[in-house]
C-alpha cells in the first residue's frame, strides 16, 4: 500500500513529485529549443543566416538530445555522457537567453535547469535502487 492509497500526501521522493519533475524537465527541454531558435533568428546578419541559425540550432540540439539523452535514445552512453549532453544542450539554451539580452532570465533558467536535472537524476537513482 502506497502513501497515496492511504490518503496521505506523497513524499518528495514519491511518484507525484517524480512525475511533476518529469513534466518540468520536458518544459525545460522545449524552452531550451525555443531559446536556441530565438537566438538564431536574432543573431544572423542576413535573412538567410537568421533562418539557418533560427531553424538549424534547435534542430541540431534536438537531434543530439534524441540520439544520446532522450529516454529512448538510440545510443545510451554512461550517465556521465548523458549528463554531458544535457549540460551542453541545456547550457546552450541558457546562453541563448543571455545572448539575446536577458541576463536575469538566463540566470533563472540556469537555476531551474540545474535543480531540475539534479532532482531528476536523484529520483531515477532512488527508483532504480528501490527496484
Amino acid at each position: 500500500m502506497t502513501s497515496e492509497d492511504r490518503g496521505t500526501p506523497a513524499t518528495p521522493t514519491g511518484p507525484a513529485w517524480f512525475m511533476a519533475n518529469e513534466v518540468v524537465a520536458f518544459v525545460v527541454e522545449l524552452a531550451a529549443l525555443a531559446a536556441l531558435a530565438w537566438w538564431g533568428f536574432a543573431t544572423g546578419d542576413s535573412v538567410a543566416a537568421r533562418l539557418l541559425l533560427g531553424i538549424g540550432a534547435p534542430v541540431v540540439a534536438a537531434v543530439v538530445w534524441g540520439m544520446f539523452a532522450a529516454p529512448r535514445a538510440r545510443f545510451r552512453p554512461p550517465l556521465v555522457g548523458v549528463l554531458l549532453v544535457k549540460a551542453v544542450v541545456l547550457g546552450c539554451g541558457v546562453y541563448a537567453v543571455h545572448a539575446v539580452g536577458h541576463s536575469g532570465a538566463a540566470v533563472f533558467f540556469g537555476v531551474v535547469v540545474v535543480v531540475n536535472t539534479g532532482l531528476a537524476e536523484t529520483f531515477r537513482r532512488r527508483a532504480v535502487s528501490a527496484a
Side-chain angles (χ1 to χ4, degrees):
M1 180 186 253
T2 66
S3 62
E4 292 172 346
D5 294 298
R6 293 187 296 260
T8 58
T11 62
T13 58
W17 284 95
F18 175 78
M19 289 309 298
N21 196 61
E22 290 297 306
V23 168
V24 171
F26 183 67
V27 170
V28 164
E29 293 158 17
L30 292 178
L33 295 177
L36 288 169
W38 183 15
W39 166 82
F41 287 123
T43 297
D45 292 334
S46 66
V47 172
R50 287 184 181 138
L51 286 172
L52 183 63
L53 290 171
I55 295 169
V59 167
V60 168
V63 167
V64 169
W65 188 277
M67 289 177 61
F68 300 106
R72 295 184 190 157
R74 181 174 188 143
F75 306 103
R76 198 64 179 167
L79 178 62
V80 168
V82 172
L83 292 176
L84 180 62
V85 169
K86 288 182 176 188
V88 168
V89 171
L90 298 176
C92 285
V94 170
Y95 174 75
V97 173
H98 168 72
V100 295
H102 296 280
S103 298
V107 169
F108 176 76
F109 187 36
V111 169
V112 170
V113 165
V114 169
V115 170
N116 175 259
T117 303
L119 288 174
E121 293 307 320
T122 300
F123 288 149
R124 289 181 188 127
R125 294 231 179 284
R126 288 187 179 167
V128 168
S129 67

